[in-house]
Amino acid sequence: MDSGAYRELVKIQKYVEGMDEIGNPSDRWKDYKRTYAYVNGLSGVEYWEAANAHQENTGEFVFRWKPFFDEMDTKRYRILFRGKTYDINLIDNIQYRNRMIKIKAVTKNSEGG
C-alpha cells in the first residue's frame, strides 16, 4: 500500500486504572497515540457476516506497523475516528512481517462507521 493511502487521522485510547487525589478508584480512557490509517468499511461477504452477528458497524483500519502496536490488546484499547468510538475486535500483524497492522473494530454509535 502506498504512503498516500494512510491519510485518515485516528486516535487510539488506552483504558487506565488509577486513583484520584483522595485515593478513590479513578478508571478512565486516556489518549495514547495519534497516527494515520487507511480506513474502510466492510463490504460483500464480510459485511453480511458482520450483520449476522449484529456488528454491521464494523470498520477496518490499516496502519503502518509501529512497535506500540505489539503491546495493544482488544480489552484496554479503543479507536476514536470522525467523532465515533470503536471497540477493537481484532488486531492483525499481517503475516507477522511488522509492516502493516489491520484492526477490525465496531462503533458504539448507532449511526455506523
Coordinates of all heavy atoms in Angstrom, one line a residue, residues 32-96:
Y32 N -3.7 7.8 23.9 CA -2.5 7.0 23.9 C -1.6 7.4 22.7 O -0.5 7.8 22.8 CB -2.9 5.6 23.8 CG -1.7 4.6 23.8 CD1 -0.8 4.5 24.8 CD2 -1.6 3.8 22.7 CE1 0.3 3.6 24.7 CE2 -0.5 2.9 22.6 CZ 0.4 2.8 23.6 OH 1.4 1.9 23.5
K33 N -2.1 7.3 21.5 CA -1.4 7.6 20.2 C -2.3 8.2 19.2 O -3.5 8.0 19.2 CB -0.8 6.4 19.6 CG 0.2 5.6 20.5 CD 1.5 6.4 20.5 CE 2.5 5.6 21.4 NZ 3.8 6.2 21.6
R34 N -1.7 9.1 18.4 CA -2.4 9.6 17.2 C -1.6 9.1 16.0 O -0.4 9.3 16.0 CB -2.5 11.1 17.2 CG -3.5 11.6 18.2 CD -3.3 13.1 18.4 NE -3.3 13.9 17.2 CZ -4.1 14.8 16.8 NH1 -5.0 15.2 17.7 NH2 -4.0 15.4 15.7
T35 N -2.2 8.5 15.0 CA -1.5 8.0 13.9 C -2.4 8.0 12.7 O -3.6 8.1 12.8 CB -0.9 6.6 14.2 OG1 -0.1 6.2 13.1 CG2 -2.0 5.6 14.4
Y36 N -1.8 7.8 11.5 CA -2.6 7.8 10.3 C -2.9 6.4 9.8 O -2.1 5.5 10.0 CB -1.9 8.6 9.2 CG -1.9 10.1 9.4 CD1 -0.9 10.7 10.1 CD2 -2.9 10.9 8.9 CE1 -0.9 12.1 10.3 CE2 -3.0 12.2 9.1 CZ -2.0 12.8 9.9 OH -2.0 14.2 10.1
A37 N -4.1 6.2 9.2 CA -4.5 4.9 8.8 C -5.3 5.0 7.5 O -5.8 6.1 7.1 CB -5.5 4.3 9.9
Y38 N -5.4 3.9 6.8 CA -6.3 3.6 5.7 C -7.5 3.1 6.4 O -7.4 2.1 7.1 CB -5.7 2.7 4.7 CG -6.6 2.2 3.7 CD1 -7.0 3.0 2.6 CD2 -7.2 0.9 3.8 CE1 -7.9 2.6 1.6 CE2 -8.1 0.5 2.8 CZ -8.5 1.3 1.8 OH -9.4 0.9 0.8
V39 N -8.7 3.7 6.2 CA -9.9 3.3 6.8 C -10.9 2.8 5.8 O -11.1 3.5 4.7 CB -10.5 4.4 7.7 CG1 -11.8 3.9 8.4 CG2 -9.5 4.9 8.7
N40 N -11.6 1.7 6.0 CA -12.5 1.2 5.1 C -13.6 0.5 5.8 O -13.4 -0.2 6.9 CB -11.8 0.1 4.2 CG -12.6 -0.2 2.9 OD1 -13.5 0.5 2.5 ND2 -12.2 -1.3 2.3
G41 N -14.8 0.6 5.3 CA -16.0 -0.2 5.9 C -16.0 -1.5 5.3 O -15.3 -1.8 4.3
L42 N -16.7 -2.4 5.9 CA -16.8 -3.8 5.3 C -17.7 -3.8 4.1 O -18.6 -3.0 4.0 CB -17.3 -4.8 6.4 CG -16.5 -4.9 7.6 CD1 -17.1 -5.9 8.6 CD2 -15.0 -5.3 7.3
S43 N -17.5 -4.7 3.2 CA -18.4 -4.9 2.1 C -18.5 -6.3 1.7 O -17.7 -7.2 2.2 CB -17.8 -4.1 0.9 OG -16.6 -4.6 0.5
G44 N -19.4 -6.6 0.9 CA -19.6 -8.0 0.4 C -19.8 -9.0 1.5 O -20.6 -8.8 2.4
V45 N -19.2 -10.1 1.4 CA -19.4 -11.3 2.3 C -19.0 -10.8 3.8 O -19.7 -11.2 4.7 CB -18.5 -12.5 1.9 CG1 -18.5 -13.6 3.0 CG2 -19.0 -13.0 0.6
E46 N -17.9 -10.1 3.9 CA -17.5 -9.6 5.3 C -18.7 -8.8 5.9 O -18.9 -9.0 7.1 CB -16.3 -8.8 5.2 CG -15.0 -9.5 5.1 CD -13.8 -8.6 5.2 OE1 -13.9 -7.5 4.7 OE2 -12.8 -9.1 5.8
Y47 N -19.3 -7.9 5.2 CA -20.4 -7.1 5.7 C -21.5 -8.0 6.2 O -22.1 -7.9 7.3 CB -20.9 -6.1 4.7 CG -22.1 -5.4 5.2 CD1 -22.0 -4.3 6.0 CD2 -23.4 -5.8 4.9 CE1 -23.1 -3.6 6.6 CE2 -24.5 -5.2 5.4 CZ -24.4 -4.1 6.2 OH -25.5 -3.5 6.7
W48 N -22.0 -9.0 5.4 CA -23.1 -9.8 5.7 C -22.8 -10.7 6.9 O -23.6 -11.0 7.7 CB -23.6 -10.6 4.5 CG -24.2 -9.6 3.5 CD1 -23.7 -9.3 2.3 CD2 -25.4 -8.8 3.7 NE1 -24.5 -8.3 1.7 CE2 -25.5 -8.0 2.5 CE3 -26.3 -8.7 4.7 CZ2 -26.6 -7.1 2.4 CZ3 -27.4 -7.9 4.5 CH2 -27.5 -7.1 3.4
E49 N -21.5 -11.2 7.0 CA -21.2 -12.0 8.2 C -21.2 -11.1 9.4 O -21.7 -11.6 10.5 CB -19.8 -12.6 8.0 CG -19.7 -13.7 7.0 CD -18.3 -14.2 6.7 OE1 -17.3 -13.6 7.2 OE2 -18.2 -15.2 5.9
A50 N -20.8 -9.9 9.3 CA -20.8 -9.0 10.5 C -22.3 -8.7 10.8 O -22.6 -8.6 12.0 CB -20.0 -7.7 10.2
A51 N -23.1 -8.5 9.8 CA -24.5 -8.2 10.1 C -25.2 -9.3 10.8 O -26.1 -9.1 11.7 CB -25.2 -7.8 8.8
N52 N -24.9 -10.5 10.5 CA -25.5 -11.7 11.1 C -25.1 -11.7 12.6 O -25.8 -12.2 13.4 CB -25.0 -13.0 10.5 CG -25.8 -13.3 9.2 OD1 -26.9 -12.8 9.0 ND2 -25.1 -14.0 8.3
A53 N -24.0 -11.1 13.0 CA -23.5 -11.0 14.4 C -23.9 -9.7 15.0 O -23.4 -9.3 16.0 CB -22.0 -11.3 14.5
H54 N -24.7 -8.9 14.3 CA -25.1 -7.6 14.7 C -23.9 -6.6 14.9 O -23.9 -5.9 15.8 CB -26.0 -7.6 16.0 CG -27.2 -8.5 15.8 ND1 -28.3 -8.1 15.1 CD2 -27.5 -9.7 16.3 CE1 -29.2 -9.0 15.1 NE2 -28.8 -10.0 15.8
Q55 N -23.0 -6.8 14.0 CA -21.8 -5.9 14.1 C -21.5 -5.3 12.7 O -20.4 -5.2 12.2 CB -20.5 -6.7 14.5 CG -20.6 -7.2 15.9 CD -19.4 -7.9 16.3 OE1 -18.5 -8.3 15.5 NE2 -19.3 -8.2 17.6
E56 N -22.6 -4.9 12.0 CA -22.5 -4.3 10.7 C -21.8 -2.9 10.7 O -21.5 -2.4 9.7 CB -23.9 -4.2 10.0 CG -24.9 -3.5 10.8 CD -25.7 -4.3 11.7 OE1 -25.4 -5.4 12.1 OE2 -26.8 -3.8 12.2
N57 N -21.7 -2.4 11.9 CA -21.0 -1.1 12.0 C -19.5 -1.3 12.2 O -18.8 -0.5 12.8 CB -21.5 -0.3 13.2 CG -23.0 0.1 12.9 OD1 -23.4 0.3 11.8 ND2 -23.8 0.2 14.0
T58 N -18.9 -2.4 11.7 CA -17.5 -2.7 11.8 C -16.7 -1.9 10.7 O -17.1 -1.8 9.6 CB -17.3 -4.2 11.6 OG1 -18.0 -4.9 12.6 CG2 -15.8 -4.5 11.6
G59 N -15.6 -1.4 11.2 CA -14.7 -0.7 10.3 C -13.3 -1.4 10.3 O -13.0 -2.1 11.2
E60 N -12.6 -1.2 9.2 CA -11.3 -1.8 9.1 C -10.3 -0.7 9.0 O -10.4 0.2 8.2 CB -11.3 -2.7 7.8 CG -10.0 -3.6 7.7 CD -10.2 -4.5 6.5 OE1 -9.9 -4.0 5.4 OE2 -10.6 -5.6 6.7
F61 N -9.3 -0.7 9.9 CA -8.3 0.3 10.0 C -6.9 -0.4 9.7 O -6.6 -1.4 10.3 CB -8.2 0.9 11.4 CG -9.5 1.5 11.8 CD1 -10.5 0.8 12.3 CD2 -9.6 2.9 11.7 CE1 -11.7 1.4 12.7 CE2 -10.8 3.5 12.1 CZ -11.9 2.8 12.6
V62 N -6.2 0.1 8.7 CA -4.9 -0.4 8.3 C -3.9 0.6 8.6 O -4.0 1.8 8.1 CB -4.9 -0.8 6.8 CG1 -3.5 -1.4 6.5 CG2 -6.0 -1.9 6.5
F63 N -2.8 0.3 9.4 CA -1.8 1.2 9.8 C -0.4 0.6 9.3 O -0.3 -0.6 9.2 CB -1.7 1.2 11.3 CG -3.0 1.7 12.0 CD1 -3.9 0.8 12.3 CD2 -3.2 3.0 12.3 CE1 -5.1 1.2 13.0 CE2 -4.3 3.4 13.0 CZ -5.3 2.5 13.3
R64 N 0.5 1.5 9.2 CA 1.9 1.1 9.1 C 2.3 0.6 10.5 O 2.0 1.2 11.5 CB 2.8 2.2 8.7 CG 2.8 2.6 7.3 CD 3.9 3.5 6.9 NE 3.6 4.2 5.8 CZ 3.9 5.5 5.6 NH1 4.5 6.2 6.5 NH2 3.5 6.1 4.5
W65 N 3.0 -0.5 10.5 CA 3.4 -1.1 11.8 C 4.3 -0.2 12.5 O 5.2 0.5 12.0 CB 4.1 -2.5 11.6 CG 4.6 -3.1 12.9 CD1 3.9 -3.9 13.7 CD2 5.9 -2.9 13.5 NE1 4.6 -4.2 14.8 CE2 5.8 -3.6 14.7 CE3 7.0 -2.2 13.2 CZ2 6.9 -3.7 15.6 CZ3 8.1 -2.3 14.0 CH2 8.0 -3.0 15.2
K66 N 4.1 -0.1 13.8 CA 5.0 0.7 14.8 C 5.1 -0.2 16.0 O 4.1 -0.9 16.3 CB 4.4 2.0 15.1 CG 4.4 2.9 13.8 CD 3.7 4.3 14.1 CE 3.6 5.0 12.8 NZ 2.7 6.1 12.8
P67 N 6.2 -0.1 16.8 CA 6.3 -1.0 17.9 C 5.2 -1.0 18.9 O 4.9 -2.0 19.5 CB 7.7 -0.5 18.5 CG 8.4 0.1 17.4 CD 7.4 0.7 16.5
F68 N 4.5 0.1 19.1 CA 3.5 0.2 20.1 C 2.3 -0.7 19.8 O 1.6 -1.1 20.7 CB 3.0 1.6 20.4 CG 2.2 2.3 19.3 CD1 0.8 2.0 19.2 CD2 2.8 3.1 18.4 CE1 0.1 2.6 18.2 CE2 2.1 3.7 17.4 CZ 0.7 3.5 17.3
F69 N 2.1 -1.1 18.6 CA 1.0 -2.0 18.2 C 1.2 -3.4 18.9 O 0.2 -4.0 19.2 CB 0.9 -2.2 16.7 CG 0.2 -1.0 16.0 CD1 1.0 -0.1 15.2 CD2 -1.1 -0.7 16.2 CE1 0.4 0.9 14.6 CE2 -1.7 0.4 15.6 CZ -1.0 1.2 14.8
D70 N 2.4 -3.8 19.1 CA 2.7 -5.1 19.7 C 2.2 -5.2 21.1 O 1.9 -6.3 21.6 CB 4.2 -5.4 19.7 CG 4.7 -5.7 18.3 OD1 3.8 -6.0 17.4 OD2 5.9 -5.7 18.0
E71 N 2.1 -4.1 21.8 CA 1.6 -4.1 23.2 C 0.1 -3.9 23.3 O -0.5 -4.1 24.4 CB 2.3 -3.1 24.1 CG 2.0 -1.7 23.7 CD 2.9 -0.7 24.5 OE1 4.1 -0.8 24.4 OE2 2.3 0.2 25.2
M72 N -0.6 -3.6 22.2 CA -2.0 -3.4 22.3 C -2.8 -4.7 22.4 O -2.4 -5.7 21.9 CB -2.5 -2.6 21.0 CG -2.1 -1.2 21.0 SD -2.5 -0.2 19.5 CE -4.3 -0.5 19.5
D73 N -4.0 -4.6 23.0 CA -4.9 -5.7 23.0 C -6.3 -5.2 22.8 O -6.6 -4.0 22.6 CB -4.8 -6.5 24.4 CG -5.1 -5.6 25.6 OD1 -6.2 -4.9 25.5 OD2 -4.4 -5.6 26.5
T74 N -7.3 -6.1 22.8 CA -8.7 -5.7 22.4 C -9.5 -5.3 23.6 O -10.6 -4.8 23.4 CB -9.4 -6.9 21.7 OG1 -9.4 -8.0 22.6 CG2 -8.7 -7.3 20.4
K75 N -9.0 -5.4 24.8 CA -9.7 -5.0 26.0 C -9.4 -3.6 26.5 O -10.2 -2.9 26.9 CB -9.4 -6.0 27.1 CG -9.8 -7.4 26.8 CD -11.3 -7.6 26.7 CE -11.6 -9.0 26.5 NZ -12.9 -9.2 25.9
R76 N -8.1 -3.2 26.5 CA -7.7 -2.0 27.1 C -7.5 -0.9 26.1 O -7.0 0.2 26.5 CB -6.4 -2.2 27.9 CG -6.5 -3.1 29.1 CD -5.2 -3.3 29.8 NE -4.3 -4.0 28.8 CZ -3.0 -3.7 28.8 NH1 -2.5 -2.8 29.5 NH2 -2.2 -4.3 27.9
Y77 N -7.8 -1.1 24.8 CA -7.6 -0.1 23.8 C -8.8 0.1 23.0 O -9.6 -0.8 22.8 CB -6.4 -0.4 22.9 CG -5.1 -0.4 23.6 CD1 -4.7 -1.6 24.3 CD2 -4.3 0.7 23.6 CE1 -3.5 -1.6 25.0 CE2 -3.1 0.7 24.3 CZ -2.7 -0.5 25.0 OH -1.5 -0.5 25.7
R78 N -9.0 1.3 22.4 CA -10.1 1.6 21.5 C -9.7 2.7 20.6 O -8.6 3.3 20.7 CB -11.4 2.0 22.3 CG -11.3 3.4 23.0 CD -12.5 3.7 23.7 NE -12.5 5.0 24.3 CZ -13.4 5.6 25.0 NH1 -14.5 4.8 25.3 NH2 -13.3 6.8 25.5
I79 N -10.5 2.9 19.5 CA -10.2 3.9 18.5 C -11.2 4.9 18.4 O -12.4 4.7 18.5 CB -10.1 3.1 17.1 CG1 -8.9 2.2 17.1 CG2 -10.0 4.1 16.0 CD1 -8.8 1.4 15.8
L80 N -10.8 6.2 18.3 CA -11.7 7.3 18.0 C -11.4 7.8 16.6 O -10.3 8.0 16.2 CB -11.4 8.5 19.0 CG -11.6 8.2 20.4 CD1 -11.3 9.4 21.3 CD2 -13.0 7.6 20.7
F81 N -12.5 7.8 15.8 CA -12.4 8.2 14.4 C -13.6 9.0 14.0 O -14.7 8.5 14.1 CB -12.2 7.0 13.5 CG -12.1 7.3 12.1 CD1 -11.1 8.0 11.5 CD2 -13.1 6.8 11.2 CE1 -11.1 8.3 10.1 CE2 -13.1 7.0 9.9 CZ -12.1 7.8 9.3
R82 N -13.4 10.2 13.5 CA -14.5 11.0 13.0 C -15.7 11.1 14.0 O -16.8 11.0 13.6 CB -15.0 10.6 11.6 CG -14.0 10.8 10.5 CD -14.6 10.5 9.2 NE -13.6 10.8 8.1 CZ -13.8 10.6 6.9 NH1 -15.0 10.2 6.5 NH2 -12.9 10.9 6.0
G83 N -15.3 11.3 15.2 CA -16.3 11.5 16.3 C -17.0 10.3 16.8 O -17.9 10.4 17.6
K84 N -16.6 9.1 16.3 CA -17.2 7.9 16.8 C -16.1 7.1 17.6 O -14.9 7.2 17.3 CB -17.7 7.1 15.6 CG -18.8 7.8 14.9 CD -19.3 6.9 13.7 CE -20.5 7.6 13.1 NZ -20.2 8.0 11.7
T85 N -16.6 6.3 18.5 CA -15.8 5.4 19.3 C -15.9 4.0 18.8 O -17.0 3.5 18.6 CB -16.2 5.5 20.8 OG1 -16.2 6.8 21.2 CG2 -15.3 4.6 21.6
Y86 N -14.8 3.3 18.6 CA -14.8 2.0 18.0 C -14.1 1.0 19.1 O -13.0 1.3 19.5 CB -14.0 1.9 16.7 CG -14.6 2.5 15.6 CD1 -14.6 3.9 15.4 CD2 -15.4 1.8 14.6 CE1 -15.2 4.5 14.3 CE2 -16.0 2.4 13.5 CZ -15.9 3.7 13.4 OH -16.5 4.3 12.3
D87 N -14.8 0.0 19.4 CA -14.2 -1.1 20.2 C -13.5 -2.1 19.3 O -14.0 -2.5 18.3 CB -15.3 -1.9 21.0 CG -16.0 -1.0 22.1 OD1 -15.3 -0.2 22.7 OD2 -17.2 -1.2 22.3
I88 N -12.2 -2.4 19.7 CA -11.4 -3.2 18.9 C -11.8 -4.7 19.0 O -11.9 -5.2 20.2 CB -9.9 -3.0 19.2 CG1 -9.5 -1.5 18.9 CG2 -9.0 -4.0 18.5 CD1 -8.1 -1.2 19.3
N89 N -12.0 -5.4 17.9 CA -12.3 -6.8 17.9 C -11.1 -7.7 17.6 O -11.0 -8.8 18.0 CB -13.4 -7.2 17.0 CG -14.8 -6.7 17.5 OD1 -14.9 -6.3 18.6 ND2 -15.7 -6.6 16.5
L90 N -10.2 -7.1 16.7 CA -9.1 -7.9 16.1 C -8.0 -7.0 15.8 O -8.2 -6.0 15.2 CB -9.6 -8.7 14.9 CG -8.5 -9.4 14.1 CD1 -8.1 -10.7 14.8 CD2 -9.0 -9.8 12.7
I91 N -6.8 -7.5 16.2 CA -5.5 -6.8 15.8 C -4.7 -7.8 15.1 O -4.3 -8.8 15.7 CB -4.8 -6.2 17.1 CG1 -5.7 -5.3 17.8 CG2 -3.5 -5.6 16.6 CD1 -5.1 -4.9 19.2
D92 N -4.4 -7.5 13.8 CA -3.6 -8.5 13.0 C -2.4 -7.9 12.5 O -2.4 -6.9 11.7 CB -4.6 -8.9 11.8 CG -3.9 -9.9 10.9 OD1 -2.9 -10.5 11.3 OD2 -4.5 -10.1 9.8
N93 N -1.2 -8.4 12.9 CA 0.1 -8.0 12.3 C 0.2 -8.9 11.1 O 0.5 -10.1 11.2 CB 1.2 -8.3 13.3 CG 2.6 -7.9 12.8 OD1 2.7 -7.6 11.7 ND2 3.5 -7.9 13.7
I94 N -0.1 -8.3 10.0 CA -0.3 -9.1 8.7 C 1.0 -9.9 8.4 O 2.1 -9.4 8.3 CB -0.7 -8.2 7.6 CG1 -2.0 -7.5 7.9 CG2 -0.7 -9.0 6.2 CD1 -2.5 -6.5 6.9
Q95 N 0.8 -11.2 8.4 CA 1.9 -12.2 8.1 C 3.0 -12.1 9.1 O 4.1 -12.5 8.8 CB 2.3 -12.1 6.7 CG 1.3 -12.4 5.7 CD 1.7 -12.3 4.2 OE1 2.7 -11.6 3.9 NE2 1.0 -13.0 3.3
Y96 N 2.8 -11.4 10.2 CA 3.9 -11.2 11.2 C 5.2 -10.6 10.6 O 6.3 -10.9 11.1 CB 4.2 -12.5 11.9 CG 3.0 -13.1 12.7 CD1 2.3 -14.1 12.2 CD2 2.7 -12.6 13.9 CE1 1.2 -14.6 12.8 CE2 1.6 -13.1 14.6 CZ 0.8 -14.1 14.1 OH -0.3 -14.5 14.7

